[in-house]
């Protein structure tokens, strides 16, 4: 399997044995790159482990073959050299492995013998079935010609049916295309009707606005006239304000003069009042003396 980056955030790999394509999406391109590197790393590690396993299996096979050739002499030597306990003590790890391998091979041989018996039984069954099939073939050979005729008739009928099916499929495809076109046209008509309704609404609004325009123009002219009159009146009021301001300034000046004269008059009046008071006191004294 080979991991392939199909885009900046998506990658996929194919399993040819399962005839399946797998894909993954990632949040960023960095995550996609990291996943691709880890994918390749694990793939290389698996390949290395598989190669080592094959080498180990070949080595064990070679050792088993060599030990199979050397086992008799080694057993003979061990039996000559000592007792059973001594032989067990002198057994090497390779001998244990070879012994295990020999036991496994014995079990496989026994299993193969069992399978051979089963295969013999199955072979006999197949022979019986073959004999029955030969008889059936001999019986059916007489009907081959009629079967051929029936087969040719069926083929012709099948060809006619296939042609009819092809024609019907073409008609169905045309009907589907027409149906699809009709659905598209229906959607387009609905869109156009919606646009037409909007245009009619806009036209109605424009008509209403057009009816209001003369009234608005009359009001605008009236407002313009009023504005001009207001401007004229404003100018007149400004002139009056200037005159009133002048009168106010004159009035203030006259009021200042009047205040000065009034103060002088009050001073004189106060003097006269004091004189009158003294005169009254003199009259009072004079009355008391009399």
């Amino acid at each position: 399997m080979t991991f392939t980056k199909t885009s900046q955030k998506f990658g996929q790999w194919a399993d040819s044995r399962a005839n399946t394509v797998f894909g993954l999406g990632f949040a960023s391109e960095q995550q996609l790159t990291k996943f691709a590197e880890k994918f390749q790393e694990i793939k290389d590690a698996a390949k290395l482990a598989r190669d080592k396993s094959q080498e180990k299996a070949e080595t064990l096979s070679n050792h088993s073959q060599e030990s199979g050739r050397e086992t008799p002499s080694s057993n003979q030597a061990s039996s000559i050299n000592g007792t059973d306990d001594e032989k067990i003590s002198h057994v090497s790890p390779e001998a244990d492995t070879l012994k295990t391998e020999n036991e496994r091979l014995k079990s496989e041989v026994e299993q193969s013998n069992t399978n051979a018996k089963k295969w013999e039984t199955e072979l006999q069954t197949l022979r019986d079935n073959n004999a029955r099939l030969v008889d059936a073939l001999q019986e059916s050979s007489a009907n081959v010609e009629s079967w051929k005729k029936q087969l040719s008739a069926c083929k012709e009928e099948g060809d006619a049916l296939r042609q009819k099916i092809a024609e019907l499929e073409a008609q169905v495809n045309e009907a589907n295309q027409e149906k699809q076109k009709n659905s598209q046209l229906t959607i387009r008509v609905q869109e156009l009707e919606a646009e037409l309704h909007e245009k009619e609404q806009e036209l109605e609004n424009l008509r209403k606005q057009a009816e209001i325009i003369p009234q608005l123009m009359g009001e605008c002219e009236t407002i313009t006239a009023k504005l001009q009159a207001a401007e004229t009146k404003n100018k007149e009021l400004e002139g009056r304000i200037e005159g009133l301001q002048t009168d106010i300034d004159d009035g203030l000046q006259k009021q200042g003069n009047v205040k000065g004269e009034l103060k002088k008059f009050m001073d004189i009046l106060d003097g006269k009042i004091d004189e009158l008071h003294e005169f009254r006191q003199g009259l009072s004294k004079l009355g008391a003396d009399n």
Side-chain angles (χ1 to χ4, degrees):
M1 295 186 293
T2 302
F3 185 79
T4 305
K5 296 180 182 179
T6 57
S7 65
Q8 293 182 352
K9 296 182 180 180
F10 190 84
Q12 65 183 15
W13 70 94
D15 188 353
S16 59
R17 293 175 299 178
N19 195 17
T20 306
V21 178
F22 304 92
L24 281 178
F26 298 87
S28 62
E29 188 175 2
Q30 290 79 10
Q31 292 181 0
L32 174 60
T33 303
K34 188 175 180 180
F35 180 84
E37 293 174 354
K38 183 61 68 176
F39 190 96
Q40 185 64 32
E41 181 181 349
I42 294 173
K43 180 180 176 182
D44 295 338
K47 183 178 180 181
L48 182 61
R50 186 172 63 252
D51 295 339
K52 287 183 179 179
S53 177
Q54 291 178 356
E55 290 177 358
K56 187 175 180 180
E58 291 175 358
T59 303
L60 290 174
S61 178
N62 294 331
H63 281 301
S64 64
Q65 292 175 0
E66 292 176 358
S67 63
R69 291 192 297 270
E70 295 175 358
T71 299
S73 61
S74 62
N75 290 334
Q76 184 179 0
S78 62
S79 63
I80 294 171
N81 289 332
T83 63
D84 293 338
D85 295 335
E86 290 176 352
K87 285 190 284 182
I88 292 171
S89 63
H90 288 292
V91 173
S92 64
E94 294 181 356
D96 292 335
T97 305
L98 293 174
K99 185 177 180 180
T100 303
E101 185 69 21
N102 287 330
E103 291 177 355
R104 185 180 65 80
L105 291 173
K106 287 179 181 180
S107 64
E108 290 181 356
V109 169
E110 293 176 356
Q111 184 68 31
S112 64
N113 291 330
T114 304
N115 294 331
K117 292 179 181 180
K118 292 181 180 179
W119 293 339
E120 288 177 358
T121 304
E122 291 178 358
L123 180 59
Q124 186 62 36
T125 303
L126 291 173
R127 286 175 180 173
D128 295 337
N129 293 331
N130 190 17
R132 287 195 297 270
L133 290 172
V134 169
D135 295 336
L137 181 62
Q138 290 176 355
E139 291 177 359
S140 62
S141 60
N143 299 324
V144 170
E145 293 298 329
S146 62
W147 291 348
K148 287 182 179 180
K149 292 179 181 180
Q150 292 178 0
L151 181 61
S152 61
C154 290
K155 285 183 178 179
E156 291 176 358
E157 186 177 357
D159 293 335
L161 290 174
R162 288 193 188 94
Q163 186 176 1
K164 186 66 175 178
I165 289 170
E167 293 176 357
L168 291 174
E169 288 179 349
Q171 293 177 1
V172 169
N173 291 328
E174 291 179 358
N176 290 329
Q177 292 177 359
E178 292 295 331
K179 186 176 180 181
Q180 186 176 4
K181 290 180 180 179
N182 290 332
S183 62
Q184 293 176 355
L185 290 174
T186 303
I187 295 171
R188 183 58 180 168
V189 168
Q190 292 176 355
E191 293 176 354
L192 292 173
E193 287 179 352
E195 292 179 359
L196 181 61
H197 182 69
E198 292 178 357
K199 297 296 182 183
E200 289 178 352
Q201 190 67 30
E202 292 179 358
L203 182 61
E204 185 66 24
N205 294 330
L206 291 173
R207 287 176 180 174
K208 291 180 180 180
Q209 292 177 3
E211 292 176 357
I212 299 172
I213 286 173
Q215 184 179 357
L216 292 175
M217 291 180 66
E219 292 178 357
C220 183
E221 292 176 355
T222 305
I223 292 170
T224 304
K226 290 181 180 179
L227 182 61
Q228 292 177 355
E231 288 178 354
T232 305
K233 192 173 182 180
N234 189 15
K235 291 180 180 179
E236 293 177 357
L237 290 174
E238 287 178 355
R240 291 181 182 179
I241 288 169
E242 291 177 358
L244 291 173
Q245 187 66 38
T246 304
D247 294 338
I248 289 169
D249 294 336
D250 295 338
L252 290 173
Q253 186 176 2
K254 290 179 180 179
Q255 187 178 2
N257 295 330
V258 170
K259 284 182 179 179
E261 292 177 357
L262 183 59
K263 187 176 181 181
K264 291 178 181 180
F265 178 73
M266 290 296 290
D267 293 336
I268 295 170
L269 184 58
D270 289 335
K272 296 294 182 180
I273 289 170
D274 292 334
E275 291 177 0
L276 183 59
H277 184 65
E278 290 176 357
F279 179 72
R280 186 177 179 183
Q281 288 179 354
L283 289 176
S284 299
K285 288 181 181 179
L286 180 62
D289 293 338
N290 291 331

